[in-house]
Amino acid sequence: MTGTEREWLLRQMIRIRRFEERCVELYSAARIRGFMHLYIGEEAVATGVLQALRPGDAVVSTYREHGHALAAGIPMEAVLAEMFWRTSGCSGGRGGSMHLFDAGRRFYGGNAIVGGGLPVATGLALADTMRGEPSITVCLFGEGALAEGEFHESLNLAALWRLPVLFCCENNYYAMGTALRKEQAQTDLALRAASYGVAAWPVDGMDALAVADAARRAVASVRGGSGPCFLELRTYRFRAHSMYDAERYREKSEVEQWKQRDPIPRLAEVLREEGEVDEARLAEIESEVSAEVEAAVAAAEAGELEPVEQLTRHVYAERQS
């Protein structure tokens, strides 16, 4: 990767981290309500994977999708406005934190059902294939989805029909509050995916450069007609499962150990050593990101709520005259 591309990865991770940190403040002040699942710690996955895509490729996400949405190019203002339930939100204010969506960018966003995005992604890839489109579909999901039937059915069909899907498992080792080692006899998830005849390999999900390299290789394979690929991105969330989670299932010392592998300072150190950024440039990036976040907050708060008389739109069919 060029120095410019690597700096872009760093900026995107910082954008996601600062956005999420601001969301914690807004949620704590009751300015954001409902469920909210943070991406802090996992930023290298979204930035590293989605940078490998082209316009027209599709992305299917999970309920922990703020980082995915930002990395996919959805404006920060539209993401935050959605979390404020404003009509200027990317889902018109009807989805909130867990259901970000942007059809124009082919971001078939969050899904509150564990594993629910897998058959959607498989169907999108099948549709593109039937239409002769050169697009591929990236499906992001947590390791908890491997316990669902949708995972096995989707991988089987994608492999059988050689569909252009890149399956990206964000393995953060805790499916909500259950450790992977306590729910799965085989914890090598790439090996499990390979049993369907899918090219699969594990990746250090705390290393943005490693993720970017793996994603580019996998995307090239999928786009080249070799069928689906599976990446097991071994990462870690620094925050609880959701804002309602008491987080009594893991030791604080374990979290602190993983924080020593934080992908943001890790990449920043590489760029400093290579002479691609210095402290002044890092401060400039932080300042620009901070301004972007605050502008998004102001725009979201200034947005309009949907009129009460329109709340049944998209719920009932329009009456035909």
Side-chain angles (χ1 to χ4, degrees):
M1 297 184 73
T2 67
T4 299
E5 290 171 330
R6 300 204 297 184
E7 183 180 312
W8 182 88
L9 285 177
L10 179 61
R11 174 186 286 271
Q12 293 306 308
M13 289 197 294
I14 292 173
R15 288 181 72 237
I16 295 168
R17 178 70 60 88
R18 302 301 173 244
F19 177 86
E20 296 287 64
E21 290 171 344
R22 191 70 171 93
C23 285
V24 173
E25 297 173 359
L26 294 166
Y27 193 95
S28 300
R31 291 156 73 185
I32 293 175
R33 299 175 183 272
F35 284 97
M36 189 170 75
H37 304 79
L38 299 170
Y39 202 61
I40 294 175
E42 302 184 30
E43 296 90 350
V45 174
T47 56
V49 169
L50 300 188
Q51 58 79 37
L53 300 186
R54 297 176 184 170
D57 290 337
V59 178
V60 178
S61 186
T62 70
Y63 48 75
R64 195 183 306 281
E65 89 273 37
H66 305 163
H68 302 161
L70 294 174
I74 300 178
M76 191 179 288
E77 292 182 2
V79 175
L80 196 57
E82 183 60 36
M83 296 166 69
F84 272 66
W85 310 103
R86 300 304 201 259
T87 56
S88 53
C90 56
S91 299
R94 289 182 170 243
S97 170
M98 297 174 69
H99 299 96
L100 305 176
F101 188 92
D102 190 324
R105 290 179 172 82
R106 299 202 75 196
F107 186 84
Y108 301 104
N111 196 313
I113 301 172
V114 174
L118 286 155
V120 173
T122 304
L124 287 168
L126 176 60
D128 283 340
T129 299
M130 294 175 70
R131 289 195 298 257
E133 299 287 346
S135 305
I136 72 167
T137 297
V138 169
C139 183
L140 296 134
F141 52 93
E143 83 285 350
L146 271 71
E148 300 291 333
E150 293 97 331
F151 169 79
H152 304 281
E153 294 167 355
S154 297
L155 257 72
N156 180 61
L157 286 177
L160 181 65
W161 296 337
R162 298 178 68 84
L163 298 179
V165 188
L166 173 54
F167 294 103
C168 295
C169 177
E170 298 183 302
N171 179 10
N172 62 32
Y173 296 96
Y174 288 92
M176 191 169 180
T178 303
L180 178 66
R181 66 182 184 277
K182 293 183 178 180
E183 66 162 324
Q184 298 291 343
Q186 175 54 267
T187 58
D188 187 333
L189 306 185
L191 182 61
R192 293 182 63 187
S195 69
Y196 288 98
V198 174
W201 65 95
V203 184
D204 181 357
M206 305 302 280
D207 183 341
L209 297 179
V211 175
D213 179 65
R216 290 186 176 188
R217 288 192 290 126
V219 165
S221 176
V222 173
R223 205 182 300 279
S226 297
C229 280
F230 177 98
L231 297 180
E232 180 194 345
L233 300 143
R234 296 173 177 174
T235 184
Y236 200 83
R237 53 177 168 79
F238 296 163
R239 302 280 305 201
H241 170 73
S242 73
M243 293 297 290
Y244 286 100
D245 179 11
E247 199 178 7
R248 296 177 179 173
Y249 46 82
R250 62 184 186 180
E251 297 294 331
K252 291 182 179 179
S253 59
E254 178 184 301
V255 179
E256 291 306 313
Q257 287 178 352
W258 274 92
K259 285 183 178 181
Q260 300 305 308
R261 298 174 57 192
D262 190 323
I264 295 176
R266 186 174 180 177
L267 180 55
E269 182 59 27
V270 170
L271 298 188
R272 274 195 295 260
E273 290 179 353
E274 297 294 328
E276 294 173 2
V277 300
D278 55 19
E279 294 303 323
R281 180 56 183 153
L282 290 173
E284 184 180 12
I285 292 172
E286 287 281 5
S287 178
E288 291 170 354
V289 168
S290 177
E292 182 186 10
V293 171
E294 292 312 310
V297 173
E301 291 187 316
E304 296 182 359
L305 294 169
E306 189 168 18
V308 172
E309 57 270 22
Q310 295 184 20
L311 292 182
T312 58
R313 285 193 315 130
H314 314 305
V315 177
Y316 301 103
E318 297 292 335
R319 179 177 297 176
Q320 301 297 315
S321 57

